[in-house]
């Protein structure tokens, strides 16, 4: 995203060309990662082999990076968002707008969940839109064609955000169904864990297709239950079925979940071994969703989400996953 936004900021006359990028400071062979990025214009740890535009400046202090920004783009693991927002509170432009690419939830008081965009908007007192889609990072960086979805309630903001994101290989559709766009981006990681379990058990493509379909059904039901007013058409955008398919075949949650079944190693160990410092979102999101479903006695309404959570936490064996699929209530309804 820094590559895309940097190139567009330099190209478009109505945008300031400087893009500051907050980077968590690390030492790579004894040298600061921010210094390496600013000297070589390459993130050698997380996106090696790809040049960042020279107008993208890496900064290790999040307040310094954000203080003069008109547009704040959030792309961090969702478990860190409250800490970052707390740090930024009162230290950004009051006229700024935000865009979240973060896929996950946060547990709220009273047994519910909070959307990340709502946390950003509430803490920083700025409007926050969301971007979700079938956008595996390496493929985007390689400029392979893909689509994405921006959920934005304000038309003017939506057009501005489209301008800073869209390229000839990265196409944007803007919709106003913001909550549904964001919920899709979070829930698909739970389904991807289920797809990974199916792969690890070598259950075949037909079974994985069933996991994807049943997962999509539960995603739709979740929005209908907890975010009424969402549009079914949103699930046909890139943020919905396209992102679900991509993640269930090519994403890190699928890959690590397959390894979880085949190796028996815990997720934390596999994350360290396989993800080069990136974070796994599926098991955490499954836990957050189950927190709400359990508190509302609704686990039986979402058996796939519940099964994934129980396998991730060790209360259900991966080999029992297929029985959860076979016994899904969707199969016991004669007509729809």
């Amino acid at each position: 995203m820094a590559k895309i936004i940097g190139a567009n900021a330099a190209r478009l006359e109505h945008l300031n060309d400087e893009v500051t990028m907050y980077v968590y400071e690390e030492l790579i062979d004894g040298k600061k990662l921010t210094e390496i990025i600013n000297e070589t214009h390459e993130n050698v740890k997380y996106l090696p082999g790809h040049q960042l535009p020279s107008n993208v400046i890496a900064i290790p202090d999040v307040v310094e990076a954000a203080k003069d920004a008109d547009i704040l783009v959030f792309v961090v693991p969702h478990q860190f968002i409250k800490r970052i927002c707390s740090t930024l509170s009162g230290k950004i432009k009051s006229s700024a707008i935000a865009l979240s690419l973060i896929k996950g939830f946060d547990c709220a008081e009273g047994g519910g969940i909070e959307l990340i965009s709502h946390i950003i908007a509430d803490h920083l007192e700025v409007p926050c839109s969301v971007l979700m889609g079938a956008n595996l990072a390496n493929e985007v960086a390689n400029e392979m064609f893909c689509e994405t979805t921006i959920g934005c309630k304000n038309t003017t903001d939506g057009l501005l955000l489209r301008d800073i994101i869209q390229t000839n290989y990265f196409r944007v559709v803007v919709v106003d169904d913001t909550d549904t766009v964001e919920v899709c981006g979070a829930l698909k990681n739970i389904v991807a864990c289920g797809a990974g379990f199916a792969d690890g058990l070598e259950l075949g493509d037909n079974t994985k297709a069933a996991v994807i379909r049943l997962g999509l059904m539960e995603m739709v039901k979740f929005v209908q239950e907890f975010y009424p007013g969402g549009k079914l058409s949103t699930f046909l955008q890139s943020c919905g079925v396209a992102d679900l398919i991509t993640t269930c075949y090519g994403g890190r949650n699928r890959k690590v979940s397959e390894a979880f079944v085949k190796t028996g190693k815990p997720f934390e160990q596999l994350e360290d071994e396989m993800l080069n410092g990136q974070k796994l979102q599926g098991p955490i999101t499954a836990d957050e969703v189950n927190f709400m479903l359990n508190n509302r006695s609704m686990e039986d309404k979402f058996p796939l989400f519940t099964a994934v959570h129980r396998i991730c936490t060790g209360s259900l064996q991966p080999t029992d996953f297929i029985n959860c699929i076979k016994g899904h209530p969707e199969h016991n309804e004669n007509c729809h």
Side-chain angles (χ1 to χ4, degrees), residues 207-253:
T207 300
K208 189 153 87 167
V211 171
I212 293 170
R213 189 188 76 84
L214 293 170
L216 180 61
M217 296 289 288
E218 291 195 13
M219 288 167 61
V220 172
K221 185 186 292 186
F222 191 91
V223 169
Q224 291 173 338
E225 192 78 43
F226 301 112
Y227 298 93
K231 300 172 183 175
L232 196 58
S233 60
T234 304
F235 290 92
L236 299 179
Q237 295 292 340
S238 182
C239 63
V241 66
D243 196 9
L244 180 62
I245 292 169
T246 296
T247 308
C248 287
Y249 277 90
R252 73 187 79 149
N253 290 281

Side-chain angles (χ1 to χ4, degrees), residues 14-319:
H14 61 288
L15 296 178
N16 186 317
D17 65 354
E18 183 176 275
V19 177
T20 55
M21 176 173 68
Y22 166 60
V23 173
Y24 179 76
E25 194 69 279
E26 301 177 62
L27 291 178
I28 309 293
D29 296 329
K31 192 168 184 177
K32 292 179 179 179
L33 180 58
T34 53
E35 292 179 0
I36 296 172
I37 291 172
N38 290 332
E39 290 173 9
T40 67
H41 307 297
E42 180 183 352
N43 189 330
V44 294
K45 180 169 183 181
Y46 295 106
L47 202 65
H50 295 280
Q51 283 291 111
L52 294 169
S54 59
N55 59 320
V56 175
I57 311 299
I59 297 177
D61 183 314
V62 69
V63 173
E64 183 67 23
K67 67 179 183 180
D68 295 322
D70 298 297
I71 303 170
L72 301 165
V73 182
F74 289 85
V75 200
V76 297
H78 77 274
Q79 54 266 43
F80 303 133
I81 193 61
K82 280 189 173 178
R83 186 175 74 196
I84 286 178
C85 284
S86 178
T87 302
L88 289 175
S89 181
K91 298 170 184 173
I92 62 170
K93 282 185 175 183
S94 60
S95 58
I97 63 173
L99 178 68
S100 171
L101 280 65
I102 300 171
K103 298 179 177 180
F105 300 115
D106 195 75
C107 293
E109 293 181 9
I113 57 174
E114 265 188 292
L115 297 184
I116 301 301
S117 66
H118 293 189
I119 293 172
I120 294 169
D122 292 344
H123 278 71
L124 302 184
E125 299 181 337
V126 296
C128 185
S129 302
V130 297
L131 181 149
M132 305 283 158
N135 308 142
L136 296 178
N138 285 330
E139 293 186 13
V140 175
N142 282 322
E143 301 187 8
M144 299 168 75
F145 178 81
C146 65
E147 301 173 315
T148 199
T149 311
I150 290 178
C152 181
K153 292 184 172 70
N154 181 292
T155 302
T156 301
D157 289 351
L159 294 175
L160 174 59
L161 293 171
R162 187 185 66 185
D163 282 349
I164 72 163
I165 297 295
Q166 183 155 267
T167 71
N168 63 346
Y169 63 88
F170 195 77
R171 308 305 290 176
V172 177
V173 174
V174 182
V175 300
D176 61 4
D177 191 10
T178 306
D179 287 353
T180 303
V181 172
E182 182 167 6
V183 170
C184 283
L187 294 180
K188 57 95 181 182
N189 283 328
I190 303 177
V191 185
C193 288
F197 298 152
D199 286 341
L201 295 166
E202 298 182 354
L203 297 176
D205 286 337
N206 292 340
T207 300
K208 189 153 87 167
V211 171
I212 293 170
R213 189 188 76 84
L214 293 170
L216 180 61
M217 296 289 288
E218 291 195 13
M219 288 167 61
V220 172
K221 185 186 292 186
F222 191 91
V223 169
Q224 291 173 338
E225 192 78 43
F226 301 112
Y227 298 93
K231 300 172 183 175
L232 196 58
S233 60
T234 304
F235 290 92
L236 299 179
Q237 295 292 340
S238 182
C239 63
V241 66
D243 196 9
L244 180 62
I245 292 169
T246 296
T247 308
C248 287
Y249 277 90
R252 73 187 79 149
N253 290 281
R254 186 220 62 81
K255 180 172 68 174
V256 176
S257 296
E258 179 182 13
F260 173 78
V261 174
K262 289 186 172 180
T263 68
K265 295 178 181 179
F267 276 107
E268 294 80 5
Q269 182 179 346
L270 292 169
E271 186 179 69
D272 291 339
E273 292 177 358
M274 300 175 67
L275 298 185
N276 190 35
Q278 292 182 317
K279 296 298 180 183
L280 199 64
Q281 299 299 307
I284 298 173
T285 304
D287 186 62
E288 290 157 351
V289 167
N290 188 260
F291 172 75
M292 181 166 75
L293 297 179
N294 181 262
N295 275 297
R296 302 187 185 194
S297 300
M298 295 179 67
E299 287 178 297
D300 61 331
K301 288 190 174 183
F302 298 89
L304 189 144
F305 290 171
T306 301
V308 169
H309 167 70
R310 289 178 177 169
I311 292 170
C312 289
T313 55
S315 63
L316 190 68
Q317 291 300 309
T319 48

